[in-house]
């Protein structure tokens, strides 16, 4: 088996607002936009995020209610730039950037769905044996 690609789908009651959050804060581009699904891409990293209408028939009833202990991590080259942008946009900041023991500086924000987004930058070079 070969995995062709993988991405997260965020369930949302606010497709356009959620789309704009990721476009405005992190510079994603809209690859597909409909009344039930939005696909965002970052061509520089080949990162993809899907945003799906929570009440769409493709979403099973038992998962429509919440996220269940997950969050999205996006690694960027400069978390301070994203932090400044988040403040300018009035985005809820859960935790201001801080250095963590594993070699990253992390900012925590929430998207319009109250989904936790971890935006991090490396503070040290990653080990070569990973």
């Amino acid at each position: 088996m070969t995995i062709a690609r993988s991405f997260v789908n965020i369930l949302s009651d606010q497709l356009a607002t959620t789309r704009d959050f990721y476009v405005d804060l992190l510079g994603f581009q809209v690859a597909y936009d409909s009344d039930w699904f939005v696909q965002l891409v970052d061509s520089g990293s080949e990162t993809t995020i899907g945003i799906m209408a929570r009440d769409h028939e493709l979403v099973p009833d038992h998962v429509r209610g919440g996220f269940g202990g997950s969050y999205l991590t996006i690694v960027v080259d400069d978390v301070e730039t994203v932090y400044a942008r988040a403040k300018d946009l009035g985005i809820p900041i859960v935790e201001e950037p801080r250095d963590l023991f594993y070699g990253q500086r992390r900012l925590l924000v929430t998207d319009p769905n109250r989904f936790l987004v971890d935006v991090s930058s490396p503070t040290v070079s990653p080990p070569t044996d990973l």
Side-chain angles (χ1 to χ4, degrees):
M1 177 187 76
T2 301
I3 296 173
R5 70 183 187 150
S6 175
F7 62 93
V8 65
N9 283 312
I10 297 169
L11 300 179
S12 178
D13 297 319
Q14 309 170 60
L15 288 178
T17 303
T18 303
R19 175 199 63 215
D20 294 348
F21 170 88
Y22 289 97
V23 169
D24 294 343
L25 180 62
L26 296 163
F28 278 90
Q29 294 89 42
V30 178
Y32 180 80
D33 198 345
S34 73
D35 63 343
W36 68 276
F37 183 74
V38 175
Q39 186 176 49
L40 304 175
V41 297
D42 175 72
S43 58
S45 67
E46 298 183 23
T47 300
T48 301
I49 296 174
I51 306 164
M52 183 177 286
R54 182 184 312 277
D55 62 354
H56 192 271
E57 65 186 62
L58 292 177
V59 178
D61 288 340
H62 71 281
V63 298
R64 291 183 182 187
F67 292 106
S70 60
Y71 65 92
L72 176 64
T73 298
I74 299 178
V75 179
V76 299
D77 60 348
D78 181 17
V79 73
E80 296 299 329
T81 300
V82 177
Y83 175 53
R85 183 79 177 135
K87 289 193 306 186
D88 288 346
L89 294 169
I91 290 171
I93 296 170
V94 175
E95 180 181 280
E96 294 183 357
R98 68 182 181 110
D99 292 335
L100 299 173
F101 67 92
Y102 57 87
Q104 287 195 336
R105 186 161 178 79
R106 180 179 76 176
L107 163 70
L108 295 177
V109 298
T110 56
D111 81 1
N113 310 288
R114 297 180 314 200
F115 190 63
L116 186 63
V117 181
D118 161 4
V119 182
S120 296
S121 293
T123 56
V124 296
S125 298
T128 57
D129 60 347
L130 289 181

